[in-house]
Amino acid sequence: MNKKDIALKAVNALKNEYPEAQCSLVYTDPLQLLISTRLAAQCTDARVNMVTPALFERFKTVDDFAEATADEVAEYIKSCGLYKTKSKDIVAMAQMLKEKFNGVVPDNIDDLIKLPGIGRKTANLVCGDIFGQPAVVVDTHCIRITKRLGLHELKDQKKIEFELRQLLPPTESNDFCHRLVIHGRAVCQARKPMCENCCMNEFCMRKI
């Protein structure tokens, strides 16, 4: 069985196991997803979802964030960790959106990663969830599970992204990555994977 075969089996197994594939962050527009994903770095999605209602009630638009101070934003996100860096990034991001992109969140990875604090993982998430483009969101769950499946032996996130783009059906890649997060939390955990409960144990290279 080659890597493409394994990838397709994994796509189908996870789709069957988790029919509803969606981002666990709560948002209503592209800017909110961009900011929520920045806040989620080294922080749980659950914690971010507790913080963002008040944040987005106070700062509703790109202009609101661009005109804010980092200290103002920081007051709302302290429990997310690294809040001083994140608050500076959020304000700078909003300012760049206004100055370079007419206040509109870009629809491509190359422009998105120009924004302060935004890497390829976040850019892929925005492109996939907001703009419906083929995306590969390489987070810790994706790295761990796809390596266990035998799809790569890589550590670099960008290299893993491009490797998976070659293996996954473009129309499935975004939802596949969402399902990996769910599966990684519930079954294929970092320290103690529950292989006996895994929907992919028949073809997973770690199990074999």
Side-chain angles (χ1 to χ4, degrees):
M1 191 184 307
N2 61 36
K3 290 182 179 181
K4 274 210 168 186
D5 291 333
I6 295 173
L8 190 56
K9 282 181 175 291
V11 166
N12 291 331
L14 290 176
K15 186 189 292 189
N16 184 64
E17 190 77 2
Y18 312 104
E20 298 296 325
Q22 59 185 22
C23 179
S24 56
L25 293 168
V26 177
Y27 63 93
T28 59
D29 58 47
L31 179 65
Q32 289 189 3
L33 178 58
L34 197 63
I35 290 171
S36 294
T37 310
R38 179 66 189 97
L39 292 176
Q42 298 184 39
C43 178
T44 66
D45 290 357
R47 168 57 59 183
V48 173
N49 289 338
M50 293 173 64
V51 165
T52 50
L55 177 69
F56 294 146
E57 178 62 29
R58 168 62 181 86
F59 306 100
K60 294 183 171 68
T61 66
V62 170
D63 287 342
D64 291 340
F65 279 107
E67 293 165 7
T69 66
D71 287 342
E72 285 180 288
V73 174
E75 287 300 311
Y76 290 85
I77 65 170
K78 281 186 175 180
S79 63
C80 284
L82 302 176
Y83 68 94
K84 291 184 178 180
T85 299
K86 291 176 182 179
S87 61
K88 290 177 183 177
D89 283 345
I90 289 168
V91 172
M93 179 198 308
Q95 292 171 345
M96 181 178 283
L97 284 171
K98 282 191 65 177
E99 293 167 7
K100 303 292 185 182
F101 302 105
N102 298 314
V104 177
V105 174
D107 64 356
N108 64 88
I109 290 174
D110 289 342
D111 283 337
L112 283 165
I113 61 175
K114 294 174 184 176
L115 298 170
I118 301 303
R120 294 190 67 87
K121 181 178 76 172
T122 297
N124 269 278
L125 181 62
V126 170
C127 284
D129 278 26
I130 298 296
F131 300 109
Q133 300 171 6
V136 178
V137 181
V138 181
D139 65 359
T140 56
H141 298 291
C142 177
I143 294 170
R144 179 176 72 254
I145 299 172
T146 54
K147 185 174 182 179
R148 286 174 175 172
L149 284 168
L151 298 181
H152 65 83
E153 288 291 338
L154 302 167
K155 294 182 179 179
D156 181 81
Q157 285 182 297
K158 186 174 181 180
K159 290 180 180 178
I160 293 170
E161 176 196 329
F162 279 86
E163 179 71 10
L164 293 178
R165 283 184 182 276
Q166 299 298 314
L167 300 174
L168 296 168
T171 56
E172 299 285 356
S173 60
N174 193 52
D175 286 348
F176 175 74
C177 291
H178 284 319
R179 292 181 175 113
L180 287 178
V181 174
I182 301 169
H183 192 65
R185 289 171 178 165
V187 179
C188 194
Q189 299 166 356
R191 292 187 179 180
K192 193 176 180 182
M194 294 177 279
C195 297
E196 66 279 5
N197 298 328
C198 182
C199 60
M200 300 185 288
N201 61 15
E202 289 184 4
F203 54 85
C204 178
M205 297 306 292
R206 183 184 189 275
K207 178 68 174 179
I208 295 170

